[in-house]
């Protein structure tokens, strides 16, 4: 799980894993992903585990951030859910209490 720049760190670390170890990663959770630091290799690398992206409207109101995230989502079939909250802000994204039970069940049942 990563938040903002930490999402790039999570994806970079995932990219460095061998394929056999990648299969042991059960899920990736990205909170308000800021994906600009990623190289094209990491940005386009296949993700083989279910991925959840949670963003908020305030963070996505910046056009270049929104477009980069949408491009990432369109390239990866492993993304289970791309959800945008209408309220909240970028600094409180790690308040996991906002995730609904149905979203968590969807992640759990994706194995």
């Amino acid at each position: 799980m990563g938040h903002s720049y930490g999402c790039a760190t999570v994806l970079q670390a995932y990219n460095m894993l061998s394929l056999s170890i990648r299969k042991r990663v059960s899920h990736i959770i990205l909170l308000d992903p800021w994906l600009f630091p990623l190289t094209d290799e990491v940005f386009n690398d296949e993700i083989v585990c279910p991925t959840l992206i949670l963003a908020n409207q305030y963070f996505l109101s910046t056009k270049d951030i929104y477009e980069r995230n949408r491009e990432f989502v369109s390239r990866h079939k492993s993304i289970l859910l791309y959800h945008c909250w209408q309220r909240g802000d970028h600094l409180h994204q790690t308040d996991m209490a906002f995730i609904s039970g149905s979203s968590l069940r969807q992640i759990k049942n994706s194995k």
Side-chain angles (χ1 to χ4, degrees):
M1 177 169 63
H3 173 249
S4 194
Y5 189 88
C7 295
T9 304
V10 166
L11 294 172
Q12 179 67 42
Y14 181 81
N15 176 267
M16 296 170 65
L17 298 173
S18 69
L19 288 176
S20 61
I21 294 178
R22 283 185 188 193
K23 292 177 182 178
R24 294 171 43 188
V25 176
S26 62
H27 295 85
I28 294 176
I29 299 174
L30 305 175
L31 306 171
D32 275 347
W34 192 67
L35 304 175
F36 291 101
L38 296 177
T39 63
D40 287 341
E41 175 189 354
V42 175
F43 188 81
N44 296 315
D45 188 38
E46 182 181 9
I47 299 173
V48 295
C49 66
T51 304
L52 171 67
I53 299 177
L54 302 173
N56 71 63
Q57 185 179 26
Y58 174 76
F59 189 66
L60 293 178
S61 64
T62 306
K63 185 178 180 182
D64 56 343
I65 293 173
Y66 174 79
E67 289 176 356
R68 182 78 166 165
N69 286 350
R70 291 306 302 169
E71 181 183 355
F72 183 79
V73 169
S74 70
R75 291 174 185 251
H76 297 283
K77 295 178 178 140
S78 65
I79 296 176
L80 286 177
L81 179 66
Y82 181 82
H83 182 74
C84 179
W85 277 300
Q86 302 300 314
R87 297 183 182 151
D89 61 49
H90 182 67
L91 298 177
H92 294 95
Q93 190 64 292
T94 55
D95 293 339
M96 297 302 288
F98 292 118
I99 297 179
S100 71
S102 62
S103 296
L104 291 174
R105 277 190 297 282
Q106 182 179 3
I107 294 168
K108 183 181 176 190
N109 294 332
S110 66
K111 287 186 177 183

